[in-house]
Amino acid sequence: MSLIVAIALLFAVQVLAATTLSTSTTTTTTATASTQYAVPTYSNPVVWASPKYNVGSMSRAISVSSKTEYGQMVDPDNTYTIYRDGGGSCTLYNRTFFIFDDTTGYKTSGALGGFATNSIAMARDFSDPTSLKDFSMSDSVGYFLPIPMTTAEATASKVTSKRYAFWTYTNCVQLSETSAAHFFLVNKYSSSTSDTFLGNTVAQLSINPTTNVMSAVRYTEFAFDNTTYPYGSFASMVVNGVAYLYGLDATYSSSYDVHVASVPVGRFWDSSKYQYWDASTSTWSYTQPIPTARRQSSAAIQGTMPFSSGTVFYSEYHNQYLLIFFNRWIDSTFRVITAPTPLGPWNITNSVLWKTTSGASYNYGGVAHPVYGSSDGSTIGQSLKVHFSYQDDDGTTYPKIGQITFK
Ligand SMILES: *[C@@H]1O[C@H](CO)[C@@H](O)[C@H](O)[C@H]1NC(C)=O
Ligand SMILES: *[C@@H]1O[C@H](CO)[C@@H](O)[C@H](O)[C@H]1NC(C)=O
Ligand SMILES: *[C@@H]1O[C@H](CO)[C@@H](O)[C@H](O)[C@H]1NC(C)=O
């Protein structure tokens, strides 16, 4: 239930814990972790849409004219051969990068170069969408975690079968031109084959455009722990300066229900400013729900199939909010549902957009990247870059990128 606290409060908690250490039996301090690293300067200009909260009716029906698979997203200059999965994109100061999940890099000799629960790579050129520049794993940098761990998490993770995993399947929340928040599901392994979902965590990513240094900070260990909904881990969107954070109820609804929290972007790091939507009463509350059963009527979206990964955004082309998603029935298919406001009412009759070609097993982690559409001369939402995790016949997994173009 711990949420983001202000930095000042965090320091206060640490000082308090230190001074009461000798008498306290529970020496729980709020976890922190931070890191900084150089970023490549590949720049792709983007223009953001700024929709009204309620955009009214759709200007055109959903209809796909073409689908294109470009292939594996890969850094052509990296001598490491890299496998990884999941991931979402983020754009700061016209630089679009992807943060991927569990990543393994092999040297040209075939020896292991590194394994990390996250890796980060910059998009080089929007017109060449497969081409990335890795900057946390390569022969030259070795490897590091772009999303930092606390000392305790890092220590535990030295033993692979006890490690922490930070996984994202969605894009970041845009807070300003140079700052964003990215949510990660936190899983903890107890053996090599068994892991437990603990909640999600959120990292503040800030770029210094002069020094080209990225700073990544986690103010608390968890944003939302596993007694509540992992808001922001399914999808997120900023409209009129308010961040809408979408979370799946995997525990009680088997991921059919999507619950929503909101916070003004300027107050993102202040837990007291978060509100939680109850669709059954159409009201926001500052009190965070702690579910003990399915709360179907309180959900902003009740799907007709269980959601897996998704992206919510405003499509200027359709004049409507779109939720593009993959389901848990692992049919490797991008689908869409639509709404006139971030909260709905969602028309849950989905349209199939693209059944992608799978390899040895199903594709997963389908995510859309509408930001690419702002630079290709089309209206935002008209042509849409999407990526997904592809499982190859040789047992490896890697991201592929493609495009869906609407009529
Ligand atoms: C990003 O690119 C757009 C389009 O060219 C431009 O209007 C904007 O000023 C750029 N933003 C930054 C921070 O450079
Ligand atoms: C939730 O997290 C706690 C640790 O904070 C863990 O002990 C528990 O097993 C988790 N619950 C579930 C349902 O995974
Ligand atoms: C809901 O979406 C479906 C699929 O796009 C569409 O056929 C249907 O007309 C929509 N319903 C309403 C009420 O707009």
Side-chain angles (χ1 to χ4, degrees), residues 196-198 226:
T196 302
F197 173 62
L198 300 186
N226 64 11

Side-chain angles (χ1 to χ4, degrees), residues 66 128 224 262 275 327 347 376 378 397:
S66 66
D128 182 11
F224 300 98
S262 76
Q275 295 192 78
N327 66 32
N347 174 352
D376 69 0
S378 63
T397 300

